[in-house]
Amino acid sequence: MRQALPGKVLKSAISIKSFMVFTLAAAIGLVSIAPVSAAKKDSRYAAIVIDANTGETLHSSSADSRRYPASLTKMMTLYLTFEALSKGRIQKDSKVVFSKNAAAEPPTKIGVKAGGSISVESAILSLITRSANDASTALGEMIGGSEENFARMMTAKARSLGMKGTVFRNANGLPNTAQFTTARDMAKLGIALREHFPQYYSYFSTRSFAFGRQRIANHNRLLGRIKGVDGIKTGYTRASGFNLVSSVQDGNRRIVAVVLGGTSGASRDNQMAQLIKTYMPQASRRGGGDLIAKTDTPMPAVAVAKAQLPKRNAPTPDMRPEADLVEVADASQDEAVESVEEVVAAAVPAPKPTITAAAQPKIAMAATERFGGKIPFQIRKAKDRAPSEPAGVEQAYAEQPAPAVQALDQMKTASVPSGWAIQVASSPSDGEARAILDKTAKKVPTVLADASAYTMPFEKGGVTYFRARFAGFDSKDSAWNACNALKKKKIACYAIAQ
């Protein structure tokens, strides 16, 4: 019995050892798949991989479920910034002034004090690398006039890109329960950024940039780690989890992948790396045509979000309203609000301040500079003169050729008619507003044969702007019918009661 005991003990020891080895191996295996399993169990998790050449969905997991975008929101802020750059409304060296509101945003931020400014290009780089909340808000206020209005522009642009499950409430992605998106929508936006703005897309591959005495590194740790990754954006809040949109190109193959709701930055990055490894070989080498709806594609009227409109009209930086429409889930308003400008201008009408001829050029120039537009050559030349020549601005403005709109009946433009009208533009220049009226009247002479063209000044932030409108419609229906006819000629407009 004494000889048999050691054998049993030995067998038991071997069994215990084998069990421990098996358990350890199983544990190692579980660790290797933990990021995927944990992610799929997390209610915040969602993912998608889209072939950027064909638009085919290669992988999808809760891709159409609502999620919080966090700093992925800045992708749309950058889209609208790139759009403003491409249309010449702002320049890379235009100054982005930080309001008290922008300067007070919580980290991450670059810390510019209220009243301070940076260039548009520095703001772009700060969003892409540090995901700066303060710079994002400052850009939104610069382009949209206010962050609230900019958020409406963001949502309208989302609709025009086919992002049906997204609503924006701010420019930076800081927590807001009314702001949401889907993995599919973020993939569409990622593809749109590359397709629509190839001249600016390289910003997303910036590894770091110098800002003052500091060098700011990019939060996207997949740059340089995973072959072919050239951007785009990371994001995180407690409610959203760890988010990431990645664009990847390997030869002729291109994909955009999205991971939302990661449990940590590392697990999110590992999950993205696995998606890229798995689905990049399945991507097509050849394109299949346009994937993203063009921003000027007409869309049917849709309902505006259930949200409080601004207390007074705030102009967009566009000289003409965009053709973008706003559609938000659970909308309750009966009237269809169609353009970005309509979302803003449908508020309580602003007072009608008067403006002297001498002050008009200064106001027009100030407004143009504020929104990054091009200053007329005569005014720009006068502006660059020495401070001892203040009269030069008025003189230069007076020397400009009279706008073509003078052919319109001036008696009809001298006062604000009653009844229904349609608005086609707003501008910081009365002359430009009148020129738009003249051009519009010539383009659709039959529709506007009995209409009266006029401009209507209103003030915002100490600057006077001019609405370009046609009056003479005896009912809401006749005004909307005329507006619909203009839209068929790709003239953005909306109807309003005087």
Side-chain angles (χ1 to χ4, degrees):
M1 291 180 65
R2 290 180 180 178
Q3 293 178 352
L5 184 59
K8 291 182 179 180
V9 172
L10 180 60
K11 289 180 180 179
S12 298
I14 292 173
S15 298
I16 293 171
K17 183 177 181 181
S18 299
F19 176 77
M20 292 177 64
V21 170
F22 174 80
T23 302
L24 179 61
I28 293 173
L30 287 173
V31 169
S32 66
I33 64 173
V36 177
S37 300
K40 290 183 178 179
K41 290 179 180 179
D42 193 320
S43 62
R44 298 175 299 180
Y45 177 78
I48 194 170
V49 180
I50 292 183
D51 186 329
N53 283 331
T54 66
E56 179 186 359
T57 299
L58 304 177
H59 169 75
S60 175
S61 177
S62 302
D64 296 302
S65 299
R66 287 186 182 181
R67 298 291 185 266
Y68 293 125
S71 284
L72 298 187
T73 299
K74 298 182 177 77
M75 292 168 59
M76 182 57 81
T77 299
L78 289 165
Y79 186 100
L80 291 177
T81 301
F82 294 159
E83 184 176 68
L85 282 169
S86 67
K87 293 184 177 181
R89 299 175 193 151
I90 59 176
Q91 308 298 324
K92 290 183 181 180
D93 58 356
S94 297
K95 295 301 180 184
V96 181
V97 179
F98 283 57
S99 65
K100 290 182 179 180
N101 177 47
E105 296 287 25
T108 54
K109 59 196 296 183
I110 54 176
V112 176
K113 295 181 179 180
S117 66
I118 60 176
S119 68
V120 167
E121 185 167 49
S122 291
I124 290 171
L125 291 169
S126 72
L127 265 63
I128 289 171
T129 57
R130 179 165 286 182
S131 197
N133 293 320
D134 52 354
S136 188
T137 296
L139 269 175
E141 292 175 340
M142 175 189 186
I143 296 172
S146 70
E147 189 176 22
E148 183 183 41
N149 186 55
F150 185 68
R152 287 178 168 82
M153 293 170 64
M154 295 167 75
T155 302
K157 184 59 65 177
R159 291 297 170 275
S160 75
L161 295 176
M163 299 168 62
K164 298 179 180 179
T166 298
V167 172
F168 293 110
R169 296 300 190 195
N170 58 45
N172 47 42
L174 285 170
N176 186 316
T177 56
Q179 180 160 269
F180 52 83
T181 189
T182 67
R184 189 179 305 278
D185 280 1
M186 285 293 108
K188 289 180 179 180
L189 181 54
I191 295 173
L193 281 163
R194 177 191 281 278
E195 284 193 348
H196 295 174
F197 305 110
Q199 69 273 40
Y200 305 122
Y201 185 79
S202 61
Y203 279 124
F204 286 105
S205 61
T206 302
R207 304 286 289 277
S208 67
F209 88 105
F211 182 72
R213 297 182 179 179
Q214 59 179 318
R215 178 159 288 277
I216 299 176
N218 198 319
H219 288 174
N220 189 349
R221 293 180 175 84
L222 293 190
L223 286 171
R225 171 186 164 189
I226 304 298
K227 179 183 177 183
V229 172
D230 53 22
I232 298 180
K233 191 74 187 69
T234 62
Y236 169 77
T237 64
R238 289 182 180 179
S240 73
F242 291 83
N243 299 340
L244 177 62
V245 177
S246 290
S247 172
V248 193
Q249 182 166 2
D250 186 5
N252 293 330
R253 290 190 172 104
R254 294 190 299 122
I255 63 171
V256 168
V258 180
V259 172
L260 304 180
T263 55
S264 69
S267 67
R268 172 203 62 193
D269 291 350
N270 290 338
Q271 176 72 0
M272 179 64 75
Q274 186 62 45
L275 291 175
I276 294 170
K277 179 181 178 181
T278 302
Y279 295 103
M280 177 58 87
Q282 300 180 25
S284 172
R285 295 181 183 274
R286 295 188 298 175
D290 293 339
L291 304 180
I292 306 300
K294 296 183 183 298
T295 57
D296 57 357
T297 301
M299 298 174 62
V302 287
V304 71
K306 190 167 51 175
Q308 181 182 3
L309 291 169
K311 294 183 179 179
R312 50 179 173 157
N313 295 10
T316 70
D318 310 88
M319 294 303 102
R320 293 177 60 82
E322 294 284 357
D324 306 331
L325 308 183
V326 178
E327 173 188 339
V328 178
D330 302 324
S332 64
Q333 294 191 11
D334 295 329
E335 296 298 328
V337 181
E338 299 201 3
S339 68
V340 172
E341 183 167 340
E342 182 167 2
V343 174
V344 181
V348 179
K352 302 185 285 291
T354 57
I355 175 173
T356 64
Q360 185 175 357
K362 294 180 181 179
I363 291 173
M365 185 168 63
T368 307
E369 290 182 315
R370 169 177 169 75
F371 293 117
K374 296 181 179 179
I375 303 173
F377 174 78
Q378 295 92 337
I379 296 180
R380 184 165 63 247
K381 184 176 180 181
K383 173 179 173 289
D384 294 336
R385 295 175 182 171
S388 60
E389 302 179 19
V393 175
E394 285 80 358
Q395 182 179 355
Y397 190 86
E399 291 172 355
Q400 294 187 73
V405 79
Q406 286 184 348
L408 296 170
D409 185 348
Q410 295 301 310
M411 293 300 292
K412 293 181 180 180
T413 63
S415 60
V416 178
S418 59
W420 280 86
I422 57 175
Q423 180 166 318
V424 295
S426 65
S427 170
S429 165
D430 185 43
E432 182 173 25
R434 290 173 180 272
I436 292 172
L437 287 170
D438 183 56
K439 182 178 179 181
T440 304
K442 290 178 179 178
K443 194 169 183 179
V444 283
T446 303
V447 176
L448 301 173
D450 298 324
S452 301
Y454 69 100
T455 60
M456 176 177 167
F458 69 104
E459 189 174 22
K460 173 65 179 177
V463 177
T464 299
Y465 299 86
F466 299 86
R467 300 186 180 97
R469 292 180 174 179
F470 290 93
F473 302 96
D474 57 5
S475 68
K476 173 183 174 181
D477 289 341
S478 62
W480 273 110
N481 290 338
C483 192
N484 290 333
L486 265 62
K487 289 177 181 179
K488 290 180 180 179
K489 297 291 185 178
K490 297 184 178 181
I491 300 172
C493 63
Y494 69 91
I496 190 168
Q498 298 286 10

